[in-house]
Amino acid sequence: KEDKKEKAPNICLITERFNDMCRLIVSEIVTSPCITTRVERIEKWAAVADICRCLHNFNGVLQVCAAFTNSSVFRLKKTWERIGKTTSGTISKLQALVSSDGRHRNLR
């Protein structure tokens, strides 16, 4: 809508902040020169998302999970193959937490 910044400026700021964080995470992972640094960065952001979950910051968890499901990050098959079992288990647990199945039943 044309006048959304006038009617709901705070909602627009929250949306912009969410998108900025997702882009930051994606660019940090994708711009890594080698696979090992990509793996380290994915593991770092998975740990950050798990800390956000412990602090009940579900918006932060959703930001990291949205960045992981971004097509630029998701298609890095060789990188995802090198992720450890504990990290991949943490990521799948976090993605199950913020999934939209059943009208976000897991977040309630």
Side-chain angles (χ1 to χ4, degrees), residues 6-102:
E6 296 169 4
K7 288 186 175 181
N10 294 330
I11 300 295
C12 291
L13 287 174
I14 291 171
T15 305
E16 288 174 16
R17 174 74 176 163
F18 184 92
N19 292 335
D20 289 343
M21 279 300 295
C22 288
R23 281 192 292 267
L24 171 77
I25 297 167
V26 168
S27 67
E28 189 174 318
I29 293 169
V30 172
T31 59
S32 301
C34 62
I35 293 177
T36 55
T37 55
R38 283 188 201 137
V39 169
E40 290 172 359
R41 290 181 181 179
I42 288 174
E43 288 176 347
K44 178 190 83 166
W45 282 109
V48 168
D50 198 35
I51 291 168
C52 288
R53 180 193 57 83
C54 292
L55 296 173
H56 300 286
N57 180 2
F58 298 112
N59 192 46
V61 175
L62 188 58
Q63 289 171 346
V64 175
C65 288
F68 286 164
T69 57
N70 184 300
S71 63
S72 300
V73 176
F74 189 75
R75 67 179 178 203
L76 300 171
K77 299 296 182 191
K78 292 180 182 177
T79 304
W80 286 107
E81 289 172 357
R82 292 190 182 188
I83 300 291
K85 288 184 179 181
T86 56
T87 304
S88 63
T90 302
I91 291 171
S92 62
K93 178 180 68 171
L94 294 172
Q95 287 178 339
L97 176 69
V98 296
S99 74
S100 60
D101 294 342

